[in-house]
């Protein structure tokens, strides 16, 4: 039977063995962590471009957009295009059956008849002049009447061409350019009027060989933006595809609600990849920060207690080092103080940083 002194001695031995085993296990885990999970990289010298990232939308270049309005009241038929359809220049898009078109065509027919009458009268007066039966004044008056009749017929023909009035009681809506239908506000068998909804166009056609990207700039960043600044544009639809251009217009009025200023980028779109309504990310090169600094992966930086740190890897050992960062973007951090090109650092620094404690 053990006495009390032996019992205490045995408990101490067991506790000591337990602590030693725990320390050995922790050391083994940490060693394995260093060998298998830690990733290192070499510090390199590199410059950065202090880019500004903006959110924007793709829209049609307004100089390549044509709006088609209703020329007269009437009923729509023959409409066979939808938003997004491609159309060709001169293609008939819809027909408006209209009493106004019928009245106008009657007026045009009357004008043609008046021209025929005036032509016959003028020829007759010239024949009579040669035989001495009409004076120069009579011929001059007949010539003037013919000129006026022809001018009226030309005017009515021009208006008919503008409004698409055909031979029948119809007005035909033609596409003025080749492009894509970007808006449609009329439907077959509906009654339309030029005075119906004010400024709403019947159809809108856009040539998308060139498009705009309109982006928002927060008030705090306005001083960093200027016309001519190079940009790269990316979209959710085409991952990895970069479109290059420059800011060609900086608007002068801020949005009263969002307090943002709009900038415009014009992009070539010969491949037709960019479509109106797409969300776009615009990275603007502001021209700052291009000096040579130490470049490391952004995740190699650990911010702790108001200071940026890296983990140095040298001779199989790791230690913390405070650094000063000049710029950090989504991929890289640029260090102005505390590192030299060629040094080895831990790229997944947080994994080791916490294990180091105050080493």
């Amino acid at each position: 039977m053990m006495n009390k002194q032996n019992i205490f001695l045995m408990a101490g031995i067991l506790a000591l063995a337990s602590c030693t085993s725990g320390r050995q296990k922790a050391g083994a885990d940490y060693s394995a962590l260093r060998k298998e999970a830690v990733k290192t990289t070499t510090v390199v010298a590199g410059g950065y471009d202090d880019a500004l990232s903006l959110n924007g939308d793709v829209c049609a270049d307004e100089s390549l957009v044509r709006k088609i309005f209703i020329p007269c009241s009437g009923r729509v038929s023959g409409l066979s295009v939808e938003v997004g359809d491609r159309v060709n220049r001169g293609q008939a898009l819809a027909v408006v059956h209209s009493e106004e078109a019928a009245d106008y065509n009657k007026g045009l027919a009357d004008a043609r008849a008046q021209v025929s009458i005036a032509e016959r009268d003028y020829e007759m007066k010239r024949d009579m002049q040669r035989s001495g039966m009409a004076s120069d004044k009579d011929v001059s008056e007949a010539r003037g009447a013919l000129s006026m009749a022809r001018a009226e017929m030309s005017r009515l023909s021009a208006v008919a061409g503008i409004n698409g009035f055909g031979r029948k009681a119809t007005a035909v809506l033609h596409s003025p350019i080749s492009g894509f239908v970007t808006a449609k506000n009329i439907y077959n068998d509906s009654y339309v009027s030029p005075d119906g909804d004010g400024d709403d166009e019947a159809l809108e056609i856009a040539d998308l060989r060139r498009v705009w990207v309109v982006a928002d700039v927060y008030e705090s960043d306005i001083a960093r933006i200027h016309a001519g600044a190079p940009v790269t544009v990316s979209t959710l639809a085409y991952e990895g595809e970069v479109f290059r251009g420059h800011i060609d217009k900086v608007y002068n009025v801020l949005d009263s609600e969002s307090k943002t200023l709009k900038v415009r980028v014009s992009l070539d779109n010969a491949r037709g990849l960019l479509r109106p309504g797409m969300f776009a990310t615009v990275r603007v090169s502001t021209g700052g920060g291009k000096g040579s600094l130490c470049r490391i992966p952004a995740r190699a930086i650990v911010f702790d207690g108001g200071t940026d740190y890296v983990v140095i890897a040298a001779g199989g050992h790791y230690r913390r080092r405070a650094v000063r960062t000049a710029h950090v973007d989504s991929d890289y951090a640029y260090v102005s103080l505390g590192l030299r090109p060629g040094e080895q650092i831990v790229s997944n620094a947080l994994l080791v940083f916490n294990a180091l404690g105050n080493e």
Side-chain angles (χ1 to χ4, degrees), residues 60 93 121 175-176 245 315 323 349-350 359:
L93 305 178
D121 185 60
S175 177
V323 297
L350 190 60
E359 295 180 28

Side-chain angles (χ1 to χ4, degrees), residues 2-17:
M2 288 189 180
N3 57 30
K4 184 181 295 185
Q5 184 176 0
N6 290 335
I7 290 174
F8 283 128
L9 179 61
M10 183 62 70
I13 292 172
L14 291 174
L16 180 60

Side-chain angles (χ1 to χ4, degrees), residues 60-67 177-180 182 204-212 266-267:
D61 183 334
E62 291 181 3
S63 66
L64 300 177
V65 172
R66 299 295 182 270
K67 298 178 183 291
I177 60 172
S178 295
F180 295 86
T182 53
E204 181 182 88
I205 312 297
D207 183 347
L208 300 180
R209 290 176 298 174
R210 188 173 68 248
V211 296
W212 288 347
S266 181
L267 293 177

Side-chain angles (χ1 to χ4, degrees), residues 54-58 234-237 275 277-281:
L54 310 175
N55 294 327
D57 296 289
V58 178
S234 58
T235 64
L236 296 175
R275 297 174 173 86
M278 277 185 171
F279 176 80
T281 299

